[in-house]
Amino acid sequence: MLLLQAVLLLLALPNSETVTEDSEVLLSPPKEGCAGWMAGVPGYPGHNGTPGRDGRDGTPGEKGEKGEPGVIGPKGDTGNGAGIEGPRGFPGNPGRKGEPGEGAYVYRSAFSVGLDARVTIPNVPIRFTKIFYNQQNHYDGSTGKFHCNIPGLYYFSYHITVYLKDVKLSLFKNDKAVLFTYDQYQDKNVDQASGSVLLHLAVGDQVWLQVYGDGENNGLYADNINDSTFTGFLLYHDTDGSQ
């Protein structure tokens, strides 16, 4: 406030007054010495200026510390389609050795028989009474028939010595001839006749050999140096009932 009063006083002095060494210096009376001194009226506040322009962006600050993990969101829906197949992995370690399994049951059925003497009765099963092998007793020497106890595929064969007469021989399955052999005897000679066949048999089926025709075709023969034989055995048993 005192500064403003001093400025006003200087403005009120006459411009023609000059101070020299010879002239008398006129000084304004001090403010504090004037009893009638009064301050000027304060001026009105000026208008606000227009807003300044936006300042420039400051330099980026330092990277802050990592924040705490957020709350886990809900599980999303299952995607459509399979993803791309990944690379093949390395082979795994071998597993432990398994426990020993139960041994497979071996089905056995076999026989091999021969004649003891010459056969003279035609059209009936030939009774081969010389037993080479019949451990399962599936061949009945009293009837000359093989009885099937295990369903499956069987192999049958026969080897016949022919002497004095022709031979007409057939292999039967359940009263039906399935294989035929005919041999014409050569005078003063010993001939051989043979045959073989594969047959599928069910439990209860029977197989045998017999001479067919009249007695003139019954030249089967056997002695201590010539045999007539009949053989059969199971190749494999049925597992699913198929033939």
Side-chain angles (χ1 to χ4, degrees), residues 112-165:
S112 183
V113 293
L115 285 178
D116 278 328
R118 179 182 174 185
V119 176
T120 59
I121 304 174
N123 300 317
V124 295
I126 301 171
R127 294 177 58 241
F128 293 85
T129 56
K130 183 187 292 186
I131 306 300
F132 301 113
Y133 179 87
N134 190 29
Q135 186 173 353
Q136 295 81 34
N137 292 317
H138 293 168
Y139 171 80
D140 186 356
S142 64
T143 63
K145 295 181 179 181
F146 169 78
H147 297 264
C148 177
N149 289 266
I150 303 172
L153 185 66
Y154 286 80
Y155 174 79
F156 295 95
S157 66
Y158 52 87
H159 182 82
I160 303 299
T161 298
V162 182
Y163 183 60
L164 298 179
K165 293 182 180 181

Side-chain angles (χ1 to χ4, degrees), residues 142-201:
S142 64
T143 63
K145 295 181 179 181
F146 169 78
H147 297 264
C148 177
N149 289 266
I150 303 172
L153 185 66
Y154 286 80
Y155 174 79
F156 295 95
S157 66
Y158 52 87
H159 182 82
I160 303 299
T161 298
V162 182
Y163 183 60
L164 298 179
K165 293 182 180 181
D166 296 346
V167 166
K168 290 183 178 181
L169 194 68
S170 59
L171 184 143
F172 277 75
K173 173 186 174 183
N174 297 337
D175 296 323
K176 182 179 179 180
V178 296
L179 187 66
F180 298 90
T181 299
Y182 176 65
D183 181 82
Q184 289 182 313
Y185 170 70
Q186 303 296 322
D187 189 20
K188 298 180 181 181
N189 196 3
V190 175
D191 293 340
Q192 304 290 334
S194 62
S196 61
V197 67
L198 288 173
L199 293 177
H200 182 272
L201 302 181

